[in-house]
Amino acid sequence: MTQNYRITLLPGDGIGPEIIAVAVDVLKVAGKKFDLQFEFTKALIGGAAIDAAGEPLPANTLDTCRQSDSVLLAAIGGYKWDSLPSNMRPEAGLLGLRAGLDLFANLRPAKILPQLIDSSTLKPEVVEGVDIMVVRELTGGIYFGKPKGVFTTETEEKRGVNTMVYTESEIDRIGKVAFETAQKRGGRLCSVDKANVLEVSQLWRDRITKVGGEYPDVELSHLYVDNAAMQLVRTPKQFDTIVTGNLFGDILSDAAAMLTGSIGMLPSASLGASGPGVYEPVHGSAPDIAGQDKANPLAQVLSAAMMLRYGLNQPEAAKHIEEGVLQVLEQGYRTGDIMSANMNILGCKAMGEVLIQTLETI
Ligand code: NAD
């Protein structure tokens, strides 16, 4: 029986419209093969929304997202809007979207594709086979804890304050997402904290251990964040799924991503407890190459694959798209950002076409 899904598309700015067009074509082809029907609705966000509607996240964009099964976002931002006040800049649209959909879990995979192993700055024998998922708590911790601000003390000295706070329920809900993610992967979860120094981390460790009781099929371990950072560059292969708080996750997810060395290949997902998740590439709107048909659409395509796996529970269709991407790289096709010697350079559109031809044959 055909499964129907409503997908909100947020092309945003810069290369956004070019790369999202490729992902839509890819989804349609995968849909045919797996009997999935997508109803796509485009909405405005970021600079494009500022130009058309005077604000970075118009109310009808949020409504459209809420009424859909999943949201596929490209990227926002550009020089044109850089001088606007912060609440009116494109980035405010992104923050508003995350808050509006209560997206508290950020999933960032870092997978080494054998065809791109030379893009990594680490030795091939260290990164070969790396396949890590970092699950980062996104709406709590030190970025949001109160008190925060710069205050003046009685002695007229300035004092900057941020507060790292997690409640039991905040830890439990990110723990649940992380264990369920590990179940869909290699079945191992490493929780990263600083429980040797921070009380908030001691609570984090206790709760994650408690939630783990409900997932006996997932092997749980714990690391302090300083050790985790070391291990990530020393022997990254030891990790399957990592769960951590907002600050540690911000740093570790970027470090893990850079094991792969190629920003145009990295997808991500942001999930809430219920309702639609947002799937988007890690990179920005690349205004330096916008409108020139030079963008790599594969991070966007892999974000659509994540949407199929984590948002729509269609792992077979996700795997099909991921396999298509691998085969296209195997055939020697590259966009400029991942180009190396003796490969065929393609533009954004042509990369999409080659991928679709490949998907139709596998
Ligand atoms: P960026 O990721 O847009 O670009 C960094 C470099 O990588 C550029 O040289 C760009 O050409 C290249 N690049 C990025 N994606 C590529 C792709 N798919 N194919 C080929 N090359 C690619 O980061 P930036 O230059 O720091 O930021 C540009 C704008 O994007 C800013 O306005 C920033 O605020 C915004 N931004 C948005 C997001 C988002 O939407 N989530 C994330 C980061 C930055």
Side-chain angles (χ1 to χ4, degrees):
M1 205 183 71
T2 308
Q3 293 269 8
N4 292 293
Y5 297 111
R6 284 163 305 166
I7 310 294
T8 301
L9 299 174
L10 303 176
D13 307 316
I15 60 171
E18 301 166 57
I19 58 176
I20 215 162
V22 173
V24 166
D25 288 345
V26 166
L27 280 169
K28 283 181 186 162
V29 170
K32 260 191 218 148
K33 188 172 171 81
F34 293 92
D35 218 0
L36 316 173
Q37 181 87 37
F38 301 106
E39 187 192 314
F40 296 108
T41 308
K42 265 192 199 161
L44 291 166
I45 192 169
I50 295 170
D51 287 352
E55 50 182 331
L57 184 69
N60 59 357
T61 293
L62 197 52
D63 285 347
T64 306
C65 291
R66 285 191 176 126
Q67 283 158 24
S68 58
D69 295 305
S70 268
V71 178
L72 191 62
L73 167 69
I76 51 90
Y79 318 124
K80 185 177 170 190
W81 305 281
D82 276 355
S83 53
L84 292 171
S86 63
N87 63 332
M88 282 307 293
R89 286 180 52 154
E91 290 77 3
L94 204 56
L95 296 178
L97 182 70
R98 286 177 185 158
L101 297 178
D102 199 13
L103 305 173
F104 63 87
N106 186 225
L107 272 60
R108 290 264 304 261
K111 186 172 176 172
I112 291 281
L113 306 180
Q115 297 83 355
L116 297 181
I117 200 161
D118 291 335
S119 305
S120 179
T121 47
L122 271 70
K123 291 181 192 148
E125 61 268 31
V126 174
V127 290
E128 190 187 6
V130 162
D131 182 357
I132 302 171
M133 178 72 82
V134 180
V135 179
R136 166 189 170 194
E137 201 288 327
L138 202 58
T139 54
I142 197 165
Y143 293 172
F144 296 93
K146 299 227 171 87
K148 65 189 287 180
V150 177
F151 305 97
T152 305
T153 65
E154 284 169 4
T155 58
E156 296 298 309
E157 191 186 18
K158 287 224 165 99
R159 186 166 171 267
V161 182
N162 288 93
T163 309
M164 192 184 275
V165 195
Y166 273 114
T167 61
E168 292 179 314
S169 56
E170 283 176 317
I171 302 167
D172 290 0
R173 68 179 187 171
I174 189 74
K176 201 164 168 287
V177 170
F179 279 103
E180 284 169 11
T181 303
Q183 276 179 327
K184 290 184 183 164
R185 294 173 39 86
R188 289 182 295 119
L189 180 65
C190 177
S191 173
V192 173
D193 59 40
K194 191 70 186 166
N196 50 342
V197 179
L198 301 175
E199 283 78 2
V200 57
S201 277
Q202 286 163 14
L203 180 67
W204 177 279
R205 193 173 279 221
D206 289 350
R207 294 307 301 187
I208 293 286
T209 306
K210 185 148 194 285
V211 175
E214 293 160 37
Y215 299 88
D217 52 334
V218 176
E219 185 191 316
L220 174 65
S221 60
H222 301 272
L223 276 184
Y224 299 135
V225 63
D226 42 346
N227 190 12
M230 257 188 330
Q231 299 297 333
L232 209 49
V233 285
R234 198 177 71 106
T235 41
K237 254 173 279 193
Q238 68 184 284
F239 294 106
D240 171 33
T241 307
I242 292 173
V243 62
T244 189
N246 207 343
L247 173 64
F248 302 152
D250 192 0
I251 299 163
L252 292 182
S253 61
D254 270 10
M258 274 307 107
L259 296 172
T260 69
S262 44
I263 195 166
M265 298 295 302
L266 295 167
S268 78
S270 300
L271 311 177
S274 59
V278 174
Y279 300 82
E280 59 179 308
V282 166
H283 62 70
S285 60
D288 52 332
I289 55 166
Q292 300 171 35
D293 194 32
K294 285 184 180 165
N296 183 350
L298 297 179
Q300 182 79 71
V301 166
L302 293 171
S303 302
M306 278 191 93
M307 176 178 89
L308 288 165
R309 178 173 287 114
Y310 294 102
L312 308 179
N313 206 15
Q314 295 290 345
E316 291 307 315
K319 238 164 92 186
H320 179 66
I321 292 176
E322 288 160 356
E323 180 56 31
V325 169
L326 281 181
Q327 290 208 11
V328 162
L329 296 172
E330 190 62 42
Q331 292 162 43
Y333 294 112
R334 302 282 189 276
T335 43
D337 57 312
I338 51 172
M339 191 58 191
S340 55
N342 303 321
M343 297 291 160
N344 298 312
I345 189 161
L346 295 180
C348 180
K349 259 196 194 144
M351 181 56 105
E353 284 160 12
V354 169
L355 177 56
I356 281 166
Q357 281 163 17
T358 305
L359 287 171
E360 281 169 343
T361 61
I362 58 176

